Amino acid sequence: MAIDDVVPTLEGLAPGDILAHGWKYHPPKALSDFFESVMGAVLVDSGFDYERAAAVVEGVMACLLDEVSPSLKQDPVTELHHWVAKVGCRMKPTFSFHPKGSRVGVAVSLHDVHLVGPVVSAFKPTAKFAVAERALALLKDSTKATNLQHICACGKLQDKLTTSRNLDCSSIDTPIQSTFLHDVDTVHLQASPMLRTS
């Protein structure tokens, strides 16, 4: 995609939309390269005066900088990874890539359960962000079979691990350990067949 094709679209977006959803428009790398080269030229022309160059950069980017805050939404892939970890799942979402001619499809799974995809795009990063955004929505949706509580036993495992750590070590014998491992396999096997149909 050429710079001329994407600039009119980006100019029509509010600064907050560019920061939160700019990836959906897949701005070409040449656009950021151009910006960096112009700002680099400003630094050189200022005699490498950082304060003067920084003032120019801040002036050019003022509308975007006004929107930046610690609560700014992260890109969908980062948000997916952080949310999954935050709620206690010890597995990481797995992305797989499927060539489709000149385009690429991206799918995502968690706990060996297929969540979404492949989502096809001419640009791999765009497809990856799109599939991550959809996967996160499905994992959070309590009405879906792909809700994280249905496919993840990590929280249940964590409860058992915490309980076993609080017991006197002498009270943990082989039958309890065997039961624990059996429960883990049962949770995994009960969850997987139901969810692979999506």
Side-chain angles (χ1 to χ4, degrees):
M1 182 178 292
I3 291 177
D4 290 345
D5 295 333
V6 75
V7 166
T9 302
L10 294 176
E11 285 179 331
L13 296 175
D17 289 336
I18 291 174
L19 291 172
H21 306 290
W23 60 269
K24 291 182 179 179
Y25 305 96
H26 191 75
K29 185 177 180 309
L31 188 59
S32 61
D33 291 344
F34 176 76
F35 179 79
E36 289 172 17
S37 64
V38 171
M39 294 304 108
V42 168
L43 180 63
V44 171
D45 288 350
S46 70
F48 295 93
D49 183 329
Y50 174 80
E51 296 300 325
R52 289 174 63 194
V56 172
V57 172
E58 288 174 9
V60 170
M61 298 190 68
C63 62
L64 291 173
L65 293 174
D66 289 343
E67 299 290 327
V68 175
S69 74
S71 62
L72 182 67
K73 189 175 177 182
Q74 298 173 320
D75 70 81
V77 173
T78 303
E79 188 177 1
L80 174 63
H81 281 286
H82 285 187
W83 183 82
V84 166
K86 182 179 177 181
V87 296
C89 181
R90 295 192 310 262
M91 299 295 288
K92 290 184 179 179
T94 304
F95 292 89
S96 56
F97 303 95
H98 311 270
K100 306 278 185 185
S102 63
R103 300 162 70 84
V104 63
V106 181
V108 64
S109 60
L110 182 65
H111 284 286
D112 296 325
V113 175
H114 174 81
L115 297 174
V116 182
V119 171
V120 179
S121 173
F123 307 102
K124 184 167 36 172
T126 305
K128 189 173 180 181
F129 285 149
V131 81
E133 185 176 62
R134 293 178 193 173
L136 182 58
L138 287 172
L139 289 169
K140 288 181 173 182
D141 189 343
S142 61
T143 66
K144 302 291 185 188
T146 50
N147 175 266
L148 188 61
Q149 290 181 340
H150 294 121
I151 66 172
C152 177
C154 295
K156 294 173 188 170
L157 295 178
Q158 189 61 44
D159 290 343
K160 290 182 184 237
L161 290 172
T162 302
T163 302
S164 69
R165 282 191 197 117
N166 293 335
L167 295 174
D168 179 12
C169 291
S170 63
S171 69
I172 301 178
D173 56 13
T174 304
I176 292 174
Q177 292 173 353
S178 298
T179 302
F180 172 73
L181 292 175
H182 174 73
D183 289 347
V184 173
D185 292 339
T186 302
V187 169
H188 179 71
L189 293 174
Q190 286 174 346
S192 296
M194 175 181 69
L195 299 169
R196 290 176 191 257
T197 59
S198 58

